[in-house]
Amino acid sequence: GVPYRVSNGPLFRHILREQKLGADPTARIGMAIEHALTLNPRPRVITISMGNPDLTPFFLILYGLNGWTGISRRTTKAIDRCYRLGIPVVCAAGQVVRAVVLPALMQRTIAVGGYGLRNDLSTKLHYPRGGYTNAPFVDTWALAENINRAAGTRMPDGRIKATHAENEVDNEPSGTSYAAPFVAGAYALWFEAFRD
């Protein structure tokens, strides 16, 4: 995989602060996709663990007045190109607001919601706790909490203790940003198994 960093965080709430980094902050997603499509070989799947949660009526009116839909046209075009090339774009559906966020909201992406497991292993909806107001836009769900990953804490004796989402109090790594890569990984494994 090839990682791209297009922002200092998973959200585009502070547009003016983000613009200091150069380009419309949501356009940098499109720029990263465009660059990825020039690689040889091209990516088989793209995953985006970030989004624009400002879909409130105030922001939608503001976007409309400025000719902006909450996501850059450059990013929209890059996602459309992926669709035409048969490259799935898997996106985190978000959990900061009760609506599926952009770019996951777009028709040519795969929006991933997140869930957790109860002790009896039955599933429960995880993000957002009250459910999405536009739930039909979620295409699939994946594990979003209690995720084991390559991380750890150095103990006083120097040993590294493995950590996961539930035992890290500060900056707990959970959410749809962690669910989306599970789905992207499943696509990558499918393509690898059936590439012929």
Side-chain angles (χ1 to χ4, degrees):
V2 180
Y4 289 86
R5 183 178 180 93
V6 300
S7 176
N8 289 329
L11 307 175
F12 291 127
R13 287 182 138 176
H14 307 290
I15 299 299
L16 294 178
R17 187 184 322 156
E18 285 287 337
Q19 284 177 333
K20 291 178 185 175
L21 298 175
D24 170 343
T26 66
R28 290 195 302 270
I29 295 174
M31 294 163 67
I33 292 171
E34 290 166 1
H35 184 272
L37 294 178
T38 67
L39 299 177
N40 187 13
R42 278 191 191 131
R44 291 186 183 155
V45 62
I46 292 174
T47 181
I48 302 172
S49 286
M50 58 190 328
N52 189 353
D54 289 328
L55 301 175
T56 57
F58 169 78
F59 282 101
L60 290 175
I61 290 169
L62 185 64
Y63 295 155
L65 292 175
N66 291 315
W68 191 51
T69 60
I71 197 83
S72 166
R73 287 186 181 90
R74 186 169 190 170
T75 297
T76 302
K77 289 180 181 179
I79 289 171
D80 285 345
R81 183 169 176 219
C82 289
Y83 180 83
R84 288 190 301 275
L85 291 170
I87 301 170
V89 178
V90 181
C91 300
Q95 67 269 354
V96 174
V97 295
R98 290 196 56 209
V100 176
V101 299
L102 291 162
L105 190 60
M106 298 170 63
Q107 288 183 341
R108 291 184 168 179
T109 64
I110 298 158
V112 182
Y115 67 84
L117 295 176
R118 296 182 183 181
N119 290 337
D120 62 0
L121 299 183
S122 65
T123 61
K124 62 176 179 172
L125 294 184
H126 184 59
Y127 293 116
R129 293 288 183 203
Y132 292 106
T133 56
N134 54 353
F137 285 96
V138 176
D139 297 299
T140 191
W141 298 82
L143 188 64
E145 64 180 16
N146 206 21
I147 301 166
N148 290 309
R149 73 210 188 294
T153 303
R154 187 170 297 280
M155 303 302 290
D157 64 2
R159 290 182 302 117
I160 300 293
K161 178 182 176 186
T163 61
H164 56 80
E166 290 305 307
N167 62 15
E168 291 190 3
V169 177
D170 298 329
N171 294 324
E172 177 186 304
S174 62
T176 59
S177 289
Y178 290 86
F182 280 111
V183 176
Y187 271 105
L189 290 171
W190 190 90
F191 286 133
E192 182 66 23
F194 299 104
R195 60 184 171 183
D196 293 336

